[in-house]
Amino acid sequence: MSSARPTLRITRRYRFSAGHVLRREAWSEERNRAVYGRCANPNGHGHGYGLEVTLRGEPDPETGQLLPPARLDRVVEDRVLRVLDHRLLNRDVAAFEKQVPTAENIARFVWRALAGRLAPAALDRIRLVETDNNSVEYRGELEED
Amino acid sequence: MSSARPTLRITRRYRFSAGHVLRREAWSEERNRAVYGRCANPNGHGHGYGLEVTLRGEPDPETGQLLPPARLDRVVEDRVLRVLDHRLLNRDVAAFEKQVPTAENIARFVWRALAGRLAPAALDRIRLVETDNNSVEYRGELEED
Amino acid sequence: MSSARPTLRITRRYRFSAGHVLRREAWSEERNRAVYGRCANPNGHGHGYGLEVTLRGEPDPETGQLLPPARLDRVVEDRVLRVLDHRLLNRDVAAFEKQVPTAENIARFVWRALAGRLAPAALDRIRLVETDNNSVEYRGELEED
Amino acid sequence: MSSARPTLRITRRYRFSAGHVLRREAWSEERNRAVYGRCANPNGHGHGYGLEVTLRGEPDPETGQLLPPARLDRVVEDRVLRVLDHRLLNRDVAAFEKQVPTAENIARFVWRALAGRLAPAALDRIRLVETDNNSVEYRGELEED
Amino acid sequence: MSSARPTLRITRRYRFSAGHVLRREAWSEERNRAVYGRCANPNGHGHGYGLEVTLRGEPDPETGQLLPPARLDRVVEDRVLRVLDHRLLNRDVAAFEKQVPTAENIARFVWRALAGRLAPAALDRIRLVETDNNSVEYRGELEED
Amino acid sequence: MSSARPTLRITRRYRFSAGHVLRREAWSEERNRAVYGRCANPNGHGHGYGLEVTLRGEPDPETGQLLPPARLDRVVEDRVLRVLDHRLLNRDVAAFEKQVPTAENIARFVWRALAGRLAPAALDRIRLVETDNNSVEYRGELEED
């Protein structure tokens, strides 16, 4: 409950719209319904996802910023939003051809897409907000900061 | 700017998740992209829609309520949510086989599904919230109240 | 759908916490449950109410304001918040001894407490937000503006 | 309370950051404090304004849209955001050199900047959200629709 | 600031309405007012509480979910909402007969009601949102995960 | 991932309006634009900041509260809001005469203004919300609790 040094985190929020189907083709219709309920409807439904990206590190002593916001925006746009936004995740995104695009799996996908690309800031956590009442937070192998 | 009698309105908010494609098959790919942008991606994307249903009328002098909330909930569930929730609107809902499921058209669909079914309250307006930054309000032929 | 002159409205939002019971003593337990459901529990429950007060009128040409915000705040504090905040409405507020404190009746109570006290602005409407999913809007006899 | 034809409105929300000072140079310090309180601090303070633009009209029967969203975005960007965003309104915007940039006056400024430029849609209303608890709605001379 | 393995958390939000009184019968009226202010009004007031339940663990490799949402919903409904919703906490809930139902104590009550019942997920934290401006977060004895 | 004892945190949210300029006088106009974009406009712009103060500790066994809310409010008012609210940070606040008032630096300023003044509670973290999409969290040298 005590810490050797101060910690600074910044969080920026993004949004994307995507369709998904929670369904495993290897399972029967009954099993899919039992596990995923209405989310198993084969044509898919969708969400307006909120995506919060949190970085950790020291502010640059001159600029007073942890990372220029425009740089983070560019990396998120290139590596995440361009891939997921306005897509049916199951069919349009290679990573979800074999893996069901649950919120848990999407959050881990975003972590892996961003980790290691934001130096000198460290990626701290990803929060994916699927609905007002449902969100997921993921921290992968933490980078040194 | 003056009114013969007081006006009372109640609004209840519902949520549903749905996928849609903004695309007309009769048009070329180019024209679809020019009009609908990324929303024309053929596999669809989705939203967590907010739906606000507003009624107008007099409170019952005994109960002090315009309409029992449970009754409105039941009608919205039966006539709207059961039809739209967790669906790909273009393929799973007959009304959108020929009509593009824009927010404008979905709002009008909801109005028609509910109008005339909530007496003694009058349906006043439908608001469909597609994203944090984008909503539609529809009032059809107003019922007498 | 056209109007002789421009219309300006300002809205300020207030909050208060109150308990209420939806229950008529003249009714049987069964009837109370049938009409009000769990809201009929005799010891009451509560809400953090949002209260939006909307005024209509012309901005003062010198100050550029419809009404000094501090003046509206004072009237709402004196006439409404002081009476309703941190109260059990059924027992602590005379107006609700005979009238069930539904959102509809509370909104009308607020209108009557404020109407005619905000000149030169006209009271335009009261919106009472009971929960995220449930609100009431009331316009009483409109004042001239 | 009845209407000859249905009404459709769309609302899009924008954001801008701006500084302002509520202060009239012709007045004494005392009078400025009495009218505007802390908002009269001469170096200014600021807000993250929300701006909601509402249009009214008929959806295009082919596209199902009242106006292509990208077209509204472009007009708002060119006529409003480019002028107000990241500015100190009193010094950087000609319209507010003589007029105090209250929320009321900013809303009217936005109306005049947009009216008549969005055909075939009619501009219906402007809502300027200054803080969570304070907003202004303006409707100017209504255009025919 | 580094971690041996990735961490996944899911959060689901619930709502309940309840009344409470912050008051100790053993104290004088003066002392109750000094400590609890208006919250000591003896008939109680209320809140629309938000309750966020956060779990921690590994997603099931087949389903891609940490826990089926329906299972969490059922446990929260049975153990928490059924007990607290639409109640006056001081009189209707045994746990608060001797303990003042502050937000701090309610959060701890919820932790104890849920801990150990959500395997293979571990209960990570409880957040109780009393008003827009006031919340409490509680982590009890952490379970192994 | 396990903890010797339970942890309780309370968070209270405050708001203030302030103007700021992100600009270093020692730099050329070009460099300021490259680093801070439109935020470098010399007359400043502004934000309605949200400020969340989180404390950690044990609830008092008698009152059931971590700290009387009125006491925290008073300290935040005296040490932070009185200094920052309705100010142009660069010119009106000594701490920002040499340091650029980025969100990162403001959050650290607030930590230092509050740390050590809230015993027996420990200051846990400061969150400064600059816009809906942009926030900063700061934990300084943690106090013992």
Side-chain angles (χ1 to χ4, degrees):
Chain A
M1 205 50 70
S2 73
S3 161
R5 49 179 176 154
T7 312
L8 178 73
R9 289 182 174 86
I10 64 168
T11 297
R12 284 177 77 80
R13 187 183 294 172
Y14 304 89
R15 287 170 183 79
F16 64 94
S17 293
H20 71 163
V21 187
L22 300 189
R23 188 178 187 84
R24 291 177 66 88
E25 292 310 326
W27 290 355
S28 68
E29 182 68 24
E30 288 68 28
R31 189 167 174 199
N32 273 303
R33 292 284 158 182
V35 171
Y36 296 119
R38 291 176 307 177
C39 297
N41 282 352
N43 285 327
H45 59 286
H47 298 287
Y49 289 94
L51 172 64
E52 297 177 11
V53 177
T54 299
L55 306 182
R56 198 181 63 246
E58 299 289 325
D60 178 289
E62 272 200 318
T63 66
Q65 293 183 329
L66 185 51
L67 199 77
R71 186 163 151 235
L72 175 55
D73 291 355
R74 208 173 325 117
V75 175
V76 174
E77 174 65 31
D78 283 354
R79 303 275 308 167
V80 177
L81 302 181
R82 194 186 299 276
V83 180
L84 302 182
D85 190 28
H86 281 76
R87 300 294 173 182
L88 178 59
L89 301 180
N90 307 59
R91 284 189 221 161
D92 295 334
V93 181
F96 298 114
E97 275 170 14
K98 296 195 175 156
Q99 195 180 44
V100 185
T102 55
E104 288 89 336
N105 284 338
I106 301 171
R108 193 168 49 185
F109 170 86
V110 175
W111 176 277
R112 290 175 179 172
L114 297 179
R117 295 175 185 275
L118 296 160
L123 186 59
D124 186 69
R125 63 174 179 260
I126 296 298
R127 200 164 83 95
L128 186 78
V129 181
E130 199 171 64
T131 73
D132 283 358
N133 298 325
N134 183 33
S135 67
V136 167
E137 182 191 290
Y138 186 74
R139 299 177 174 225
E141 293 73 19
L142 291 189
E143 308 171 46
E144 294 302 311
D145 68 320
Chain B
M1 204 52 68
S2 73
S3 162
R5 50 176 174 152
T7 312
L8 178 73
R9 289 181 174 88
I10 65 167
T11 298
R12 282 176 79 79
R13 186 183 295 172
Y14 304 89
R15 287 171 183 80
F16 64 94
S17 293
H20 71 163
V21 187
L22 301 189
R23 187 179 187 85
R24 290 178 66 88
E25 292 309 326
W27 290 356
S28 69
E29 182 69 24
E30 287 69 27
R31 190 168 175 198
N32 272 303
R33 292 283 159 179
V35 170
Y36 295 120
R38 291 177 304 179
C39 297
N41 282 352
N43 285 326
H45 60 286
H47 298 287
Y49 289 94
L51 171 64
E52 297 177 12
V53 177
T54 300
L55 305 182
R56 198 180 62 245
E58 298 290 326
D60 178 288
E62 271 200 317
T63 67
Q65 294 183 328
L66 185 50
L67 199 76
R71 186 165 151 233
L72 175 54
D73 291 355
R74 208 174 325 118
V75 176
V76 173
E77 174 65 31
D78 283 353
R79 303 277 306 167
V80 177
L81 301 181
R82 194 186 299 276
V83 181
L84 302 183
D85 191 27
H86 282 76
R87 300 294 174 184
L88 177 61
L89 302 180
N90 307 60
R91 285 189 219 159
D92 295 333
V93 181
F96 299 114
E97 277 170 12
K98 295 194 175 159
Q99 198 181 41
V100 185
T102 56
E104 288 89 335
N105 283 338
I106 300 171
R108 193 167 50 185
F109 170 86
V110 174
W111 175 278
R112 290 176 180 170
L114 297 180
R117 295 177 185 274
L118 296 160
L123 186 59
D124 185 70
R125 63 173 182 261
I126 295 299
R127 198 163 85 95
L128 186 78
V129 181
E130 201 172 61
T131 72
D132 282 357
N133 299 324
N134 182 32
S135 67
V136 167
E137 182 191 291
Y138 186 73
R139 298 176 175 228
E141 292 75 19
L142 293 188
E143 308 171 47
E144 294 302 311
D145 67 321
Chain C
M1 206 50 66
S2 74
S3 163
R5 50 177 175 152
T7 311
L8 178 74
R9 290 181 174 88
I10 64 168
T11 297
R12 283 178 78 80
R13 186 183 296 172
Y14 304 90
R15 286 170 184 80
F16 64 93
S17 292
H20 72 163
V21 187
L22 300 189
R23 188 179 187 85
R24 290 177 66 89
E25 293 309 327
W27 290 356
S28 68
E29 182 68 23
E30 288 68 28
R31 189 168 175 198
N32 273 304
R33 292 283 158 180
V35 171
Y36 295 120
R38 291 175 307 177
C39 297
N41 283 352
N43 285 327
H45 60 285
H47 298 287
Y49 289 95
L51 171 64
E52 296 177 11
V53 177
T54 299
L55 307 181
R56 197 181 62 243
E58 298 289 327
D60 178 288
E62 271 200 317
T63 67
Q65 293 183 329
L66 185 50
L67 200 77
R71 184 162 154 237
L72 175 55
D73 291 354
R74 208 175 323 118
V75 175
V76 173
E77 174 64 32
D78 283 353
R79 303 276 307 167
V80 177
L81 302 181
R82 194 185 299 275
V83 180
L84 303 182
D85 190 28
H86 282 77
R87 301 293 174 184
L88 178 59
L89 302 180
N90 306 60
R91 285 188 219 160
D92 296 332
V93 181
F96 299 113
E97 276 171 13
K98 296 195 175 158
Q99 197 181 42
V100 185
T102 55
E104 288 89 336
N105 283 338
I106 301 171
R108 193 167 52 184
F109 170 86
V110 175
W111 176 277
R112 290 175 180 171
L114 297 179
R117 295 175 186 275
L118 295 160
L123 187 59
D124 186 69
R125 62 174 182 261
I126 296 298
R127 198 163 85 95
L128 187 78
V129 181
E130 201 171 61
T131 71
D132 283 356
N133 299 325
N134 182 33
S135 67
V136 167
E137 182 192 291
Y138 185 74
R139 299 175 174 229
E141 293 74 20
L142 293 188
E143 308 171 46
E144 294 300 314
D145 69 319
Chain D
M1 205 50 68
S2 74
S3 162
R5 50 176 174 152
T7 311
L8 178 74
R9 290 180 173 87
I10 65 168
T11 297
R12 282 176 80 79
R13 187 183 295 172
Y14 304 90
R15 287 171 182 81
F16 64 94
S17 292
H20 73 162
V21 187
L22 300 190
R23 188 179 187 85
R24 289 177 66 88
E25 292 310 326
W27 289 356
S28 69
E29 181 68 24
E30 288 67 28
R31 189 168 175 200
N32 272 304
R33 292 283 159 180
V35 171
Y36 296 120
R38 291 176 306 177
C39 296
N41 282 354
N43 284 327
H45 60 286
H47 297 288
Y49 289 95
L51 171 64
E52 296 177 11
V53 177
T54 300
L55 306 182
R56 197 180 62 244
E58 298 290 326
D60 178 289
E62 271 199 317
T63 67
Q65 294 184 328
L66 186 49
L67 200 76
R71 185 163 151 232
L72 175 55
D73 291 354
R74 209 175 323 119
V75 175
V76 173
E77 174 65 33
D78 283 353
R79 303 277 306 168
V80 177
L81 301 181
R82 193 185 298 275
V83 180
L84 302 182
D85 190 28
H86 282 77
R87 301 293 175 183
L88 178 60
L89 301 180
N90 306 62
R91 285 189 219 161
D92 295 332
V93 181
F96 298 113
E97 276 171 13
K98 295 193 176 160
Q99 196 180 43
V100 186
T102 55
E104 288 90 335
N105 284 338
I106 300 171
R108 192 168 50 185
F109 169 86
V110 175
W111 176 277
R112 289 176 180 171
L114 297 180
R117 295 176 186 273
L118 296 160
L123 186 60
D124 186 69
R125 64 174 180 259
I126 295 298
R127 199 164 85 94
L128 186 78
V129 181
E130 201 171 62
T131 71
D132 282 357
N133 299 324
N134 183 35
S135 67
V136 167
E137 182 191 292
Y138 186 75
R139 297 174 176 230
E141 292 75 19
L142 292 188
E143 309 171 46
E144 294 301 312
D145 68 320
Chain E
M1 206 48 72
S2 74
S3 163
R5 50 177 177 155
T7 312
L8 177 73
R9 290 180 173 88
I10 64 168
T11 297
R12 284 176 77 81
R13 187 183 294 171
Y14 304 89
R15 289 172 180 76
F16 63 94
S17 292
H20 72 164
V21 187
L22 299 190
R23 188 179 186 85
R24 288 176 68 87
E25 292 310 325
W27 290 356
S28 69
E29 181 68 24
E30 288 68 28
R31 187 167 176 200
N32 273 302
R33 291 284 160 182
V35 171
Y36 296 120
R38 292 176 305 179
C39 296
N41 282 352
N43 285 326
H45 60 286
H47 298 287
Y49 289 94
L51 171 64
E52 296 176 11
V53 177
T54 300
L55 306 181
R56 197 181 63 246
E58 299 288 327
D60 178 288
E62 271 200 318
T63 67
Q65 294 183 327
L66 185 51
L67 199 77
R71 188 165 150 233
L72 175 55
D73 292 354
R74 209 175 325 118
V75 176
V76 173
E77 175 64 32
D78 283 353
R79 303 276 307 168
V80 177
L81 302 181
R82 194 186 299 275
V83 180
L84 303 182
D85 190 28
H86 282 76
R87 300 294 174 184
L88 178 59
L89 301 180
N90 307 59
R91 284 189 220 161
D92 296 333
V93 181
F96 299 113
E97 275 170 14
K98 296 195 175 158
Q99 195 181 43
V100 186
T102 56
E104 287 90 335
N105 284 337
I106 301 171
R108 194 167 48 185
F109 170 86
V110 175
W111 175 277
R112 290 176 180 172
L114 298 179
R117 296 176 185 274
L118 296 159
L123 186 59
D124 186 70
R125 62 175 181 259
I126 296 298
R127 200 164 83 95
L128 186 78
V129 181
E130 200 172 63
T131 72
D132 283 357
N133 299 324
N134 183 33
S135 66
V136 167
E137 182 190 291
Y138 185 74
R139 298 176 174 227
E141 292 74 21
L142 292 189
E143 308 171 46
E144 294 302 311
D145 67 320
Chain F
M1 204 52 67
S2 74
S3 162
R5 51 178 175 155
T7 311
L8 178 73
R9 290 181 173 87
I10 65 168
T11 297
R12 283 177 78 80
R13 187 184 294 172
Y14 305 89
R15 286 171 183 78
F16 63 94
S17 292
H20 72 164
V21 187
L22 299 190
R23 187 179 187 85
R24 290 176 67 88
E25 291 310 326
W27 290 355
S28 68
E29 183 68 24
E30 286 69 27
R31 189 168 174 197
N32 272 303
R33 292 284 159 182
V35 170
Y36 295 120
R38 290 175 308 178
C39 297
N41 282 352
N43 285 327
H45 60 285
H47 297 287
Y49 289 94
L51 171 64
E52 297 177 11
V53 177
T54 299
L55 306 181
R56 197 181 62 245
E58 298 290 326
D60 178 289
E62 271 201 318
T63 67
Q65 293 183 328
L66 184 51
L67 199 77
R71 184 161 155 238
L72 175 55
D73 292 354
R74 208 175 324 118
V75 175
V76 173
E77 174 65 32
D78 283 352
R79 303 275 308 166
V80 176
L81 302 181
R82 193 186 300 276
V83 181
L84 302 183
D85 191 27
H86 282 76
R87 301 293 174 183
L88 178 59
L89 302 180
N90 307 60
R91 285 190 219 160
D92 296 333
V93 181
F96 299 113
E97 277 171 12
K98 295 194 177 158
Q99 196 180 43
V100 185
T102 55
E104 287 90 334
N105 284 336
I106 301 171
R108 193 168 47 185
F109 169 86
V110 175
W111 176 276
R112 290 175 180 171
L114 297 179
R117 295 175 186 275
L118 296 159
L123 186 59
D124 186 69
R125 63 174 180 259
I126 297 298
R127 200 165 83 96
L128 186 78
V129 181
E130 200 171 63
T131 71
D132 282 357
N133 298 326
N134 183 33
S135 66
V136 167
E137 183 191 291
Y138 185 75
R139 297 176 174 226
E141 292 73 21
L142 292 189
E143 309 171 44
E144 294 301 312
D145 68 320

